[in-house]
Amino acid sequence: MIENLGNGSATVHAIQLSIAPVFLLAGIGAFLNVIAGRLARVVDRARLLETLHSDVGDVEQRRYVTELHTLEQRMTLAGRAIYLGTASGLAVCLLVIALFVGELVSLKMGNVIAVLFVIAIALLAGAMVTFLSETRIALKSLHVREDLLKADPLGLIDETP
């Protein structure tokens, strides 16, 4: 069963089989980095609004509370996307281990490898859908207040017909 351990060509072949999923793992890592960056920005904004909340009037306070609710939704979704993406990365790691060990010790691991691949891709798809939801909420909440759009202290807006 372990007769291939001393065989250099079997080891090389096992490493070759394991390379493709490692590229997937690198992509998952980059994806997680993007989500973590967005989460950090959302958390920073929420902390700022929490400190400003008590120092403003009622109208601004209502705006801050509304934005804080939106930020809370975004933090939840970003956290969920990170969880799913990390679980996907873990499934890819297990896939690489299964590929390498299966090839090295001549185990028939085809079904295990297929299941791990499907799990990894399903988790990654879940992470991407969750990330898509977070970005949708972010884009929906992006708007410039109407009173700021109407203000033109420098006379930059040409309102002639």
Side-chain angles (χ1 to χ4, degrees), residues 33-159:
N33 191 34
V34 168
I35 300 168
R38 289 178 66 89
L39 178 59
R41 290 178 54 116
V42 170
V43 168
D44 289 346
R45 178 67 180 163
R47 287 184 179 154
L48 174 66
L49 291 179
E50 287 171 350
T51 60
L52 296 175
H53 183 268
S54 60
D55 298 335
V56 296
D58 289 343
V59 173
E60 282 296 304
Q61 232 176 27
R62 282 193 294 274
R63 276 199 23 243
Y64 287 175
V65 168
T66 300
E67 187 174 348
L68 283 167
H69 282 290
T70 301
L71 293 172
E72 179 65 28
Q73 285 180 309
R74 291 182 61 197
M75 284 186 276
T76 300
L77 289 170
R80 194 172 296 149
I82 289 171
Y83 175 81
L84 290 167
T86 303
S88 176
L90 179 60
V92 172
C93 288
L94 294 173
L95 171 66
V96 169
I97 291 168
L99 279 167
F100 190 79
V101 170
E103 183 66 24
L104 205 57
V105 296
S106 298
L107 288 174
K108 294 188 192 290
M109 305 269 295
N111 290 340
V112 171
I113 291 167
V115 167
L116 285 171
F117 182 75
V118 169
I119 289 170
I121 297 301
L123 288 166
L124 183 58
M128 289 186 167
V129 167
T130 305
F131 179 64
L132 183 64
S133 297
E134 188 274 332
T135 56
R136 185 174 171 270
I137 289 171
L139 290 173
K140 253 176 70 174
S141 68
L142 286 177
H143 59 278
V144 178
R145 292 186 350 224
E146 194 66 34
D147 60 318
L148 295 175
L149 290 173
K150 290 180 181 175
D152 186 22
L154 300 176
L156 299 175
I157 299 173
D158 181 20
E159 294 186 20

